[in-house]
Amino acid sequence: MLFDMDGTLVDSEKLWDVALRELAAEYGGTLSDDARRAMVGTAMATSMRILHDDLGQPERDPLVSAAWIEARILELFRTGLRWRPGALALLRAIRAAGVPTALVTSSGRPLVEVALETLGRDSFDAVVCGDEVTSAKPHPEPYLTAARLLGVPIGRCVAIEDSPSGVASALAAGAAVLAVPAEVPIAPADGVHQLESLTAADLELLAALLGESPA
Protein backbone atom coordinates (compact mmCIF):
# COMPACT_ATOMS: atom_id res chain seq x y z
CA MET A 1 0.00 0.00 0.00
CA LEU A 2 1.43 3.36 -1.08
CA PHE A 3 0.15 6.54 0.61
CA ASP A 4 0.62 10.13 -0.45
CA MET A 5 0.85 12.46 2.56
CA ASP A 6 -0.30 16.06 1.99
CA GLY A 7 -4.05 16.20 1.44
CA THR A 8 -4.37 12.41 1.52
CA LEU A 9 -3.40 11.33 5.03
CA VAL A 10 -3.23 14.74 6.67
CA ASP A 11 -5.11 17.95 6.01
CA SER A 12 -1.92 19.87 5.35
CA GLU A 13 -2.74 21.61 2.08
CA LYS A 14 -4.48 24.33 4.11
CA LEU A 15 -1.23 24.88 6.00
CA TRP A 16 0.71 25.08 2.73
CA ASP A 17 -1.88 27.61 1.60
CA VAL A 18 -1.15 29.80 4.63
CA ALA A 19 2.61 29.69 4.07
CA LEU A 20 2.45 30.30 0.32
CA ARG A 21 0.11 33.25 0.64
CA GLU A 22 2.24 34.72 3.41
CA LEU A 23 5.32 34.51 1.19
CA ALA A 24 3.48 36.14 -1.69
CA ALA A 25 2.55 39.00 0.66
CA GLU A 26 6.17 39.18 1.82
CA TYR A 27 7.11 39.73 -1.83
CA GLY A 28 4.48 42.47 -2.16
CA GLY A 29 1.96 40.47 -4.15
CA THR A 30 -1.06 38.19 -3.90
CA LEU A 31 -1.03 34.55 -4.96
CA SER A 32 -3.82 33.79 -7.43
CA ASP A 33 -6.18 30.89 -6.84
CA ASP A 34 -5.25 29.35 -10.21
CA ALA A 35 -1.56 29.37 -9.35
CA ARG A 36 -2.26 27.87 -5.93
CA ARG A 37 -4.27 25.04 -7.48
CA ALA A 38 -1.47 24.38 -9.96
CA MET A 39 0.97 23.86 -7.07
CA VAL A 40 -0.96 21.05 -5.39
CA GLY A 41 1.04 17.82 -5.44
CA THR A 42 4.10 19.33 -7.11
CA ALA A 43 7.72 19.42 -5.99
CA MET A 44 8.98 22.48 -4.14
CA ALA A 45 11.04 23.77 -7.08
CA THR A 46 7.99 23.65 -9.34
CA SER A 47 5.80 25.37 -6.77
CA MET A 48 8.31 28.19 -6.31
CA ARG A 49 8.54 28.70 -10.07
CA ILE A 50 4.74 28.92 -10.28
CA LEU A 51 4.63 31.38 -7.39
CA HIS A 52 7.34 33.63 -8.83
CA ASP A 53 5.76 33.64 -12.30
CA ASP A 54 2.33 34.35 -10.81
CA LEU A 55 3.72 37.37 -8.97
CA GLY A 56 5.54 38.58 -12.07
CA GLN A 57 8.89 38.08 -10.30
CA PRO A 58 10.53 35.21 -12.23
CA GLU A 59 13.99 36.50 -11.34
CA ARG A 60 13.65 35.47 -7.69
CA ASP A 61 15.87 32.66 -6.39
CA PRO A 62 13.73 29.52 -5.91
CA LEU A 63 16.12 28.21 -3.25
CA VAL A 64 15.63 31.31 -1.10
CA SER A 65 11.85 31.08 -1.44
CA ALA A 66 11.88 27.35 -0.71
CA ALA A 67 13.92 27.90 2.46
CA TRP A 68 11.37 30.51 3.65
CA ILE A 69 8.45 28.19 2.97
CA GLU A 70 10.12 25.19 4.61
CA ALA A 71 10.85 27.15 7.79
CA ARG A 72 7.27 28.47 8.00
CA ILE A 73 5.59 25.17 7.18
CA LEU A 74 7.66 23.41 9.86
CA GLU A 75 6.17 25.81 12.40
CA LEU A 76 2.66 25.17 11.11
CA PHE A 77 3.10 21.37 11.01
CA ARG A 78 4.18 21.27 14.64
CA THR A 79 0.96 22.89 15.81
CA GLY A 80 -1.74 22.37 13.20
CA LEU A 81 -1.47 18.97 11.51
CA ARG A 82 -4.77 17.05 11.39
CA TRP A 83 -5.79 13.69 9.91
CA ARG A 84 -8.00 13.61 6.81
CA PRO A 85 -11.38 11.90 7.37
CA GLY A 86 -11.04 8.13 7.45
CA ALA A 87 -7.27 8.16 6.92
CA LEU A 88 -6.18 7.03 10.38
CA ALA A 89 -8.73 4.20 10.55
CA LEU A 90 -7.75 2.92 7.10
CA LEU A 91 -4.04 3.08 7.86
CA ARG A 92 -4.54 1.17 11.11
CA ALA A 93 -6.61 -1.51 9.35
CA ILE A 94 -3.94 -1.94 6.68
CA ARG A 95 -1.18 -2.24 9.27
CA ALA A 96 -3.22 -4.69 11.36
CA ALA A 97 -3.61 -6.86 8.25
CA GLY A 98 0.16 -6.96 7.82
CA VAL A 99 0.15 -5.22 4.43
CA PRO A 100 3.52 -3.65 3.49
CA THR A 101 3.04 0.12 3.49
CA ALA A 102 5.04 3.09 2.23
CA LEU A 103 4.68 6.86 2.46
CA VAL A 104 5.36 8.52 -0.91
CA THR A 105 5.42 12.30 -0.67
CA SER A 106 6.68 15.34 -2.57
CA SER A 107 7.59 16.99 0.74
CA GLY A 108 11.22 17.06 1.84
CA ARG A 109 12.68 14.88 4.59
CA PRO A 110 12.88 17.60 7.31
CA LEU A 111 9.16 18.31 6.98
CA VAL A 112 8.26 14.62 6.77
CA GLU A 113 10.16 13.95 10.00
CA VAL A 114 7.86 16.43 11.75
CA ALA A 115 4.77 14.94 10.10
CA LEU A 116 5.77 11.45 11.24
CA GLU A 117 5.25 12.60 14.82
CA THR A 118 1.54 12.66 13.92
CA LEU A 119 1.49 9.84 11.38
CA GLY A 120 3.55 7.42 13.49
CA ARG A 121 7.01 6.26 12.51
CA ASP A 122 5.94 2.62 12.77
CA SER A 123 3.05 3.21 10.35
CA PHE A 124 5.29 2.70 7.31
CA ASP A 125 7.83 0.14 6.20
CA ALA A 126 9.40 2.70 3.85
CA VAL A 127 9.30 6.46 3.34
CA VAL A 128 10.12 8.15 0.02
CA CYS A 129 10.51 11.95 0.20
CA GLY A 130 10.55 14.48 -2.60
CA ASP A 131 14.15 15.47 -1.95
CA GLU A 132 15.33 11.85 -2.04
CA VAL A 133 14.47 11.07 -5.66
CA THR A 134 15.95 12.41 -8.89
CA SER A 135 12.55 13.12 -10.44
CA ALA A 136 9.54 14.05 -8.28
CA LYS A 137 5.84 13.52 -9.03
CA PRO A 138 4.33 13.44 -11.66
CA HIS A 139 7.33 11.33 -12.71
CA PRO A 140 6.86 7.64 -11.78
CA GLU A 141 10.18 7.42 -9.90
CA PRO A 142 8.76 8.05 -6.38
CA TYR A 143 6.26 5.20 -6.63
CA LEU A 144 8.68 2.85 -8.36
CA THR A 145 11.19 3.56 -5.59
CA ALA A 146 8.62 2.82 -2.88
CA ALA A 147 7.63 -0.50 -4.45
CA ARG A 148 11.28 -1.48 -4.73
CA LEU A 149 11.92 -0.63 -1.08
CA LEU A 150 8.91 -2.73 -0.05
CA GLY A 151 10.02 -5.61 -2.28
CA VAL A 152 6.58 -5.67 -3.92
CA PRO A 153 5.94 -5.48 -7.70
CA ILE A 154 4.39 -2.10 -8.51
CA GLY A 155 1.53 -3.88 -10.27
CA ARG A 156 0.56 -5.40 -6.90
CA CYS A 157 0.40 -1.99 -5.20
CA VAL A 158 -2.45 0.44 -4.63
CA ALA A 159 -1.47 4.12 -4.46
CA ILE A 160 -3.77 6.50 -2.59
CA GLU A 161 -3.58 10.08 -3.86
CA ASP A 162 -5.42 13.40 -3.73
CA SER A 163 -3.84 15.39 -6.59
CA PRO A 164 -3.61 15.15 -10.39
CA SER A 165 0.19 15.19 -10.15
CA GLY A 166 0.25 12.30 -7.69
CA VAL A 167 -2.29 10.28 -9.67
CA ALA A 168 -0.22 10.76 -12.83
CA SER A 169 2.90 9.57 -11.00
CA ALA A 170 1.23 6.44 -9.65
CA LEU A 171 -0.41 5.58 -12.98
CA ALA A 172 2.84 6.03 -14.88
CA ALA A 173 4.56 3.73 -12.39
CA GLY A 174 1.94 1.03 -12.98
CA ALA A 175 0.10 1.04 -9.64
CA ALA A 176 -3.64 0.76 -9.13
CA VAL A 177 -4.87 4.16 -7.94
CA LEU A 178 -7.44 5.23 -5.39
CA ALA A 179 -8.03 8.97 -5.75
CA VAL A 180 -9.59 11.04 -2.98
CA PRO A 181 -9.57 14.65 -4.29
CA ALA A 182 -9.03 17.25 -1.59
CA GLU A 183 -8.24 20.70 -2.99
CA VAL A 184 -8.47 20.19 -6.76
CA PRO A 185 -10.60 17.88 -8.94
CA ILE A 186 -9.11 14.81 -10.60
CA ALA A 187 -10.23 13.92 -14.12
CA PRO A 188 -11.65 10.40 -14.58
CA ALA A 189 -9.09 7.96 -16.00
CA ASP A 190 -8.69 4.26 -16.60
CA GLY A 191 -7.07 2.62 -13.59
CA VAL A 192 -8.26 5.31 -11.18
CA HIS A 193 -11.06 4.68 -8.67
CA GLN A 194 -12.37 7.85 -7.01
CA LEU A 195 -13.96 8.33 -3.59
CA GLU A 196 -15.09 11.50 -1.88
CA SER A 197 -13.50 10.40 1.41
CA LEU A 198 -11.35 7.62 2.83
CA THR A 199 -14.20 6.92 5.25
CA ALA A 200 -15.63 4.85 2.36
CA ALA A 201 -12.41 2.85 1.84
CA ASP A 202 -11.66 -0.53 3.41
CA LEU A 203 -9.51 -3.62 2.86
CA GLU A 204 -12.17 -5.19 0.65
CA LEU A 205 -12.15 -2.23 -1.72
CA LEU A 206 -8.35 -2.11 -1.88
CA ALA A 207 -8.20 -5.83 -2.66
CA ALA A 208 -10.83 -5.39 -5.37
CA LEU A 209 -8.70 -2.72 -7.04
CA LEU A 210 -6.03 -5.38 -7.47
CA GLY A 211 -8.54 -8.00 -8.56
CA GLU A 212 -8.15 -9.93 -5.32
CA SER A 213 -10.34 -11.13 -2.50
CA PRO A 214 -9.48 -9.71 0.94
CA ALA A 215 -7.41 -12.04 3.14
Side-chain angles (χ1 to χ4, degrees), residues 1-5 9 90-91 94 101-104 124 160:
M1 190 60 51
L2 310 175
F3 280 98
D4 172 56
M5 184 177 77
L9 284 176
L90 181 62
L91 182 58
I94 289 169
T101 306
L103 186 67
V104 188
F124 307 98
I160 303 181

Side-chain angles (χ1 to χ4, degrees), residues 113-131:
E113 286 298 316
V114 174
L116 286 171
E117 295 174 11
T118 295
L119 298 172
R121 296 179 188 280
D122 58 351
S123 295
F124 307 98
D125 300 296
V127 176
V128 178
C129 301
D131 57 355

Side-chain angles (χ1 to χ4, degrees), residues 19 24 46 66 74 114 120-121 134 144 151 161 176 181 209:
T46 301
L74 279 171
V114 174
R121 296 179 188 280
T134 302
L144 291 172
E161 272 283 356
L209 295 179

Side-chain angles (χ1 to χ4, degrees), residues 165-200:
S165 177
V167 166
S169 173
L171 279 179
V177 181
L178 174 59
V180 188
E183 301 296 326
V184 295
I186 295 173
D190 290 342
V192 179
H193 182 83
Q194 289 205 38
L195 293 176
E196 290 186 4
S197 168
L198 286 179
T199 56

Side-chain angles (χ1 to χ4, degrees), residues 31-100:
L31 181 65
S32 72
D33 291 341
D34 285 346
R36 176 66 189 103
R37 283 190 292 268
M39 295 178 184
V40 175
T42 66
M44 179 69 83
T46 301
S47 289
M48 294 303 94
R49 185 175 67 251
I50 293 170
L51 184 145
H52 294 162
D53 288 347
D54 188 56
L55 297 178
Q57 302 174 20
E59 72 283 356
R60 285 197 178 273
D61 187 342
L63 295 179
V64 172
S65 296
W68 194 100
I69 288 291
E70 287 168 355
R72 182 68 178 112
I73 205 72
L74 279 171
E75 296 175 354
L76 295 170
F77 263 46
R78 288 192 176 100
T79 59
L81 204 56
R82 300 291 182 268
W83 287 93
R84 291 285 295 164
L88 178 57
L90 181 62
L91 182 58
R92 284 178 172 169
I94 289 169
R95 296 303 284 170
V99 177

